[in-house]
Amino acid sequence: MYWKEPDSFEAGNHGNKPFAIRVPALVVTRGAKDRLNFLTAMWFTPTGFEPSRMIVAIQKRTLTYDLLRERGEFVMSAPSDQMMDVVVFAGYISGHDVDKWQAAGLTAVRPSKISVPLIGEAIGNVEYRVVQQIPFDAEMDLFVGEVLATHIRKGAMEGELYREDSNPLLYMGTKYGRDGKSLGKYYAHLKGIEPANYESPLLKEYLSRPKRRADKKGVVS
């Protein structure tokens, strides 16, 4: 078997880097004494259709970890690009040291199913009930949340797509200088939404074939 040499690639310093562009999440929790907290989450993934669920990795040293175990509910909020300062702040500062909700001046919006508020400034908010906590390693656990309600800002989406003027925060990661020092966190703007090229030879050939072993959502196993 002939494999081409990887001449067009160079070594990276972390396996997450090729997948760094993403919409981050702010995970909102509430303590027994009505203390509100939130942190910036990058390690999460949706899973399942019915019921819809989200798996999010939470470090054990965080206040969010304690409040998730205490109340068993949380909200994940999708920030706009105008909230980049809030996202950076929430990723650096611990809720053990600062009342982050008060410091950020966020707007608490009444949820429909749980007792944790939505973030009024966010593009979208999803209410979750913790259905499983999965031990992962010495530093973090995985929390599986079942979706109870979803809230999208009016005019932000058309069907499943963000509108081009909705301005979701597309997080790019950290930029470093030649001396290795951080130059700060960066983000991009959403623009130029385009459909897949259904005239490509690959799609024209294979999408015309009947699906096999498709479930009720049309996903082929």
Side-chain angles (χ1 to χ4, degrees):
M1 180 183 294
Y2 171 73
W3 289 16
K4 187 178 184 298
E5 293 298 320
D7 300 329
S8 58
F9 296 96
E10 61 183 12
N13 60 4
H14 200 289
N16 288 351
K17 295 303 182 182
F19 315 102
I21 302 176
R22 68 192 80 176
V23 177
L26 297 174
V27 177
V28 185
T29 50
R30 179 183 174 195
K33 296 181 180 180
D34 291 337
R35 168 77 180 275
L36 299 180
N37 187 60
F38 64 97
L39 60 64
T40 298
M42 294 292 182
W43 303 325
F44 60 91
T45 183
T47 181
F49 286 104
E50 295 180 2
S52 178
R53 294 176 293 269
M54 183 71 75
I55 300 174
V56 56
I58 302 294
Q59 292 181 311
K60 297 177 182 179
R61 60 181 173 82
T62 64
L63 179 60
T64 295
Y65 183 90
D66 297 336
L67 299 186
L68 278 174
R69 290 171 55 87
E70 179 180 309
R71 188 171 290 265
E73 300 173 339
F74 64 101
V75 165
M76 290 185 72
S77 300
S80 70
D81 57 12
Q82 296 180 355
M83 298 175 66
M84 182 62 174
D85 60 339
V86 176
V87 171
V88 174
F89 161 78
Y92 274 101
I93 303 300
S94 171
H96 288 298
D97 302 324
V98 176
D99 185 333
K100 294 199 284 187
W101 190 276
Q102 183 178 19
L106 297 176
T107 302
V109 174
R110 188 182 307 278
S112 62
K113 299 293 185 180
I114 63 176
S115 59
V116 178
L118 319 177
I119 294 179
E121 291 77 8
I123 288 180
N125 292 272
V126 183
E127 302 177 39
Y128 295 93
R129 173 175 61 92
V130 176
V131 293
Q132 190 174 1
Q133 180 179 346
I134 305 172
F136 186 71
D137 61 19
E139 294 186 357
M140 68 180 65
D141 282 350
L142 305 179
F143 288 83
V144 182
E146 181 178 316
V147 175
L148 300 182
T150 304
H151 311 268
I152 306 296
R153 179 172 296 282
K154 293 179 180 179
M157 302 188 77
E158 292 179 340
E160 296 184 355
L161 300 181
Y162 276 118
R163 290 173 55 95
E164 287 194 25
D165 59 356
S166 61
N167 300 320
L169 196 161
L170 302 180
Y171 179 83
M172 298 286 289
T174 306
K175 185 175 182 179
Y176 295 92
R178 294 184 177 181
D179 58 1
K181 293 184 178 180
S182 171
L183 299 177
K185 307 288 186 180
Y186 280 71
Y187 67 100
H189 297 283
L190 177 67
K191 63 179 181 179
I193 298 175
E194 298 180 4
N197 180 14
Y198 289 94
E199 295 301 314
S200 73
L202 180 66
L203 296 186
K204 287 183 71 174
E205 177 179 355
Y206 286 94
L207 265 62
S208 63
R209 299 181 182 183
K211 293 181 179 180
R212 295 182 299 166
R213 294 183 295 172
D215 61 17
K216 59 184 177 181
K217 290 290 185 178
V219 177
V220 179
S221 60

